[in-house]
Amino acid sequence: MERDVAWNKYDEADDEALEELAAEYIGFISQNKTERECAASAIRLAEAHGYRPLDEAAREGRALVAGDKVWAAAHGKALILVQVGSQPFAAGMNILGAHIDSPRLDLKQNPLYESNGFALMDTHYYGGIKNYQWVTLPLALHGVVAKTDGTVVDVNVGDDPGDPVFCVSDLLVHLANQQMDKKAGKVVEGEDLDLLVGNRPWVAKDEGDDAADVPAEAAESKGPSADKPAWEELAEKEPVKAFALKLLADKYGIVEEDFLSAELEAVPAGPARDLGFDRSMVIGYGQDDRVCAYTSLMAQLEVERPSKAAVCVLVDKEEIGSVGATGMASQFFENAIAEIMELAGEGGSLPLRRALAASSMLSSDVSAGFDPAYASVFEAKNSAYLGRGLVFNKYTGSRGKSGSNDASAEYVARIRRVMDEAGVSYQTAELGRVDAGGGGTIAYLPAKYGMDVIDSGVAVLSMHSPWEVTSKADIYEAFKGYQAFLKNA
């Protein structure tokens, strides 16, 4: 059952809509490279479309009625959007769920050190990566530094054209005989993924020149001379580290101790771009899973007056098991729905559980695109192909479907009907050959409520690499499919 190529059905209007969506998507993933940035941008877009904070409605005791739109966030890293439907919540909700975290290098809490004339920062990789793919790439630093006085400093260095970038160095090929004999997983060890951030030593100029422009809080010293800034105490033994600290103090007003309460992520620097002579594809960082998060968000914002409540949930921590206060395994989703149902006059534990069990969900996550360069790990007739539309995975998991949600046949048939009636191009797939590997999504977590859940998303080449590849046609079909689901499932 080979599926048709989606490009073949497009007319001029489709081409224009596809390119407009792709351009907006490229802008979104270029500007939002962390879960915090994605959540903040999604909230801004939602409020521009009439969504209001859920906590505001709760404080005011404002009743929610059909057509009302609310949002709630968890620690700035997870987000839920709900538009109340004309039917009661007891009839169930139509839910789109995606994740907004992506593999990356996180700075350790005590990251900065000097070695042989270089200033470097220790990292701990996040999610499943091939370590060797992250060397010699221009990297940017995004994140926040929380200070003890309660202020939170935003950090974003490396993506403005005038910014410096950072990198992880690699061994020159001329001396790499032993390295080249190692297995791929050992060529670059995780502990060796240190960012190169400086090489210039700090040199004192006229006395008092440097201290004059330094924020007072950054001039605090843990050394014996309280009147000297911290980097000056370091300058004799670690002058390159000292200069890096001075620059951080000048730009952000932070001291080394502030790294203890920082969340800084090293991500590939530079924007996503069109790929191919025909500009048919997108290459960019973080498309797993922001390609599904963005199309789900856009579908949620476009739907108006749905019959069943329309829900979009964008969560964190999927790449490490959906754990923590911002992952799908937390109570964030359930608590937000409980609050909304209370304001809609349907509160209570039993009504909540009935509503969740009656709901339908698309777990919007990417699928492995068939790559002819690595055809041996795919089973061709059960693979996802770029350009053939939205992908449905009845199950994921590994080996004997371990860790998988396995959607029922009846639910798959219902989703097929919705997509067929909306003219959405779609395909079905598994995650590679049996026993070739495997992986999972958030699908099994909401399925615990008894709701129908199936994985759906966009096929990706080079998944979990610094630069991933998707098809513009698949992005367009995902958006259309998610819209159809919210309106008609």
Side-chain angles (χ1 to χ4, degrees):
M1 294 186 293
E2 186 170 309
R3 312 299 289 182
D4 293 335
V5 175
W7 290 101
N8 295 336
K9 69 178 185 180
Y10 294 152
D11 58 19
E12 186 175 342
D14 285 315
D15 287 337
E16 290 180 2
L18 178 152
E19 291 295 346
E20 182 180 358
L21 178 66
E24 292 170 349
Y25 166 66
I26 287 172
F28 183 87
I29 63 171
S30 297
Q31 295 162 14
N32 301 294
K33 295 186 175 182
T34 71
E35 61 284 2
R36 286 178 182 268
E37 291 169 344
C38 286
S41 285
I43 290 170
R44 287 193 293 270
L45 287 167
E47 293 201 326
H49 283 76
Y51 282 79
R52 303 302 305 156
L54 174 60
D55 59 1
E56 177 184 281
R59 284 194 307 271
E60 297 171 356
R62 186 171 72 247
L64 296 179
V65 298
D68 281 350
K69 304 173 182 179
V70 291
W71 66 265
H75 303 283
K77 302 179 190 177
L79 175 69
I80 186 170
L81 307 177
V82 178
Q83 183 175 171
V84 181
S86 57
Q87 296 188 53
F89 280 89
M93 298 163 278
N94 290 334
I95 305 167
L96 298 172
H99 68 92
I100 50 177
D101 60 315
S102 294
R104 59 185 188 252
L105 304 180
D106 285 344
L107 293 197
K108 292 185 178 182
Q109 286 184 284
N110 185 20
L112 186 61
Y113 69 98
E114 180 173 331
S115 179
N116 298 102
F118 292 107
L120 300 110
M121 286 182 164
D122 267 319
T123 70
H124 193 137
Y125 64 86
Y126 173 95
I129 68 169
K130 294 179 178 178
N131 295 352
Y132 64 80
Q133 293 180 331
W134 287 77
V135 301
T136 69
L137 289 175
L139 298 172
L141 273 179
H142 290 228
V144 297
V145 178
K147 301 168 68 173
T148 54
D149 64 2
T151 60
V152 177
V153 181
D154 289 317
V155 175
N156 187 329
V157 183
D159 273 309
D160 187 282
D163 283 349
V165 295
F166 314 97
C167 79
V168 178
S169 62
D170 194 12
L171 182 62
L172 66 163
V173 69
H174 309 76
L175 300 178
N177 287 346
Q178 291 184 356
Q179 183 192 48
M180 298 293 279
D181 288 337
K182 293 181 179 180
K183 291 183 178 180
K186 298 291 184 181
V187 169
V188 179
E189 300 279 358
E191 197 62 65
D192 294 332
L193 292 171
D194 293 355
L195 290 187
L196 183 58
V197 300
N199 180 231
R200 179 177 174 177
W202 180 76
V203 179
K205 300 178 183 178
D206 293 337
E207 186 174 352
D209 281 356
D210 291 308
D213 299 324
V214 177
E217 62 270 25
E220 295 176 0
S221 174
K222 305 301 178 183
S225 302
D227 59 335
K228 290 185 177 181
W231 62 81
E232 194 168 337
E233 295 289 338
L234 287 170
E236 185 176 344
K237 292 184 178 180
E238 298 177 293
V240 182
K241 176 182 175 179
F243 193 45
L245 285 172
K246 178 187 181 303
L247 295 174
L248 287 169
D250 289 346
K251 185 171 178 63
Y252 297 108
I254 60 175
V255 296
E256 187 173 12
E257 287 283 315
D258 292 328
F259 283 120
L260 296 175
S261 51
E263 292 179 0
L264 296 171
E265 304 174 12
V267 297
R273 301 182 65 174
D274 287 349
L275 178 67
F277 288 121
D278 54 8
R279 297 180 178 269
S280 62
M281 294 168 283
V282 174
I283 184 168
Y285 166 67
Q287 297 201 74
D288 176 10
D289 183 36
R290 292 172 191 142
V291 65
C292 296
Y294 182 78
T295 46
S296 295
L297 173 64
M298 291 299 103
Q300 177 75 22
L301 298 183
E302 290 295 324
V303 71
E304 290 292 342
R305 298 283 177 176
S307 176
K308 293 183 179 180
V311 180
C312 177
V313 57
L314 306 178
V315 292
D316 182 25
K317 297 294 187 285
E318 191 276 344
E319 297 296 358
I320 59 171
S322 296
V323 294
T326 54
M328 194 66 203
S330 73
Q331 297 298 305
F332 165 61
F333 166 71
E334 182 179 331
N335 290 345
I337 296 298
E339 188 77 57
I340 291 168
M341 289 182 62
E342 183 72 29
L343 295 173
E346 298 183 55
S349 177
L350 187 55
L352 170 65
R353 303 205 174 277
R354 286 173 174 167
L356 291 171
S359 296
S360 302
M361 181 176 184
L362 297 185
S363 173
S364 308
D365 207 342
V366 295
S367 193
F370 182 90
D371 190 335
Y374 304 100
S376 63
V377 298
F378 294 93
E379 196 268 285
K381 67 182 184 300
N382 285 293
S383 292
Y385 292 83
L386 266 66
R388 297 187 186 179
L390 181 60
V391 184
F392 290 98
N393 292 82
K394 187 177 185 295
Y395 47 82
T396 54
S398 58
R399 299 179 300 279
K401 302 184 183 179
S402 176
S404 172
N405 168 69
D406 197 340
S408 70
E410 293 86 351
Y411 186 47
V412 176
R414 178 151 62 97
I415 294 300
R416 287 175 56 203
R417 174 186 57 78
V418 170
M419 298 301 141
D420 288 341
E421 289 178 355
V424 175
S425 294
Y426 68 92
Q427 53 188 317
T428 60
E430 295 186 12
L431 188 57
R433 295 178 66 90
V434 176
D435 290 336
T441 67
I442 66 171
Y444 74 99
L445 292 164
K448 70 182 180 182
Y449 298 115
M451 69 175 69
D452 283 314
V453 185
I454 188 170
D455 285 298
S456 69
V458 173
V460 176
L461 296 186
S462 305
M463 191 189 300
H464 278 218
S465 71
W467 297 98
E468 300 166 315
V469 176
T470 57
S471 165
K472 290 182 179 179
D474 297 336
I475 296 169
Y476 183 53
E477 296 299 325
F479 168 67
K480 290 167 52 184
Y482 295 153
Q483 273 191 315
F485 170 80
L486 291 176
K487 292 177 182 176
N488 303 315

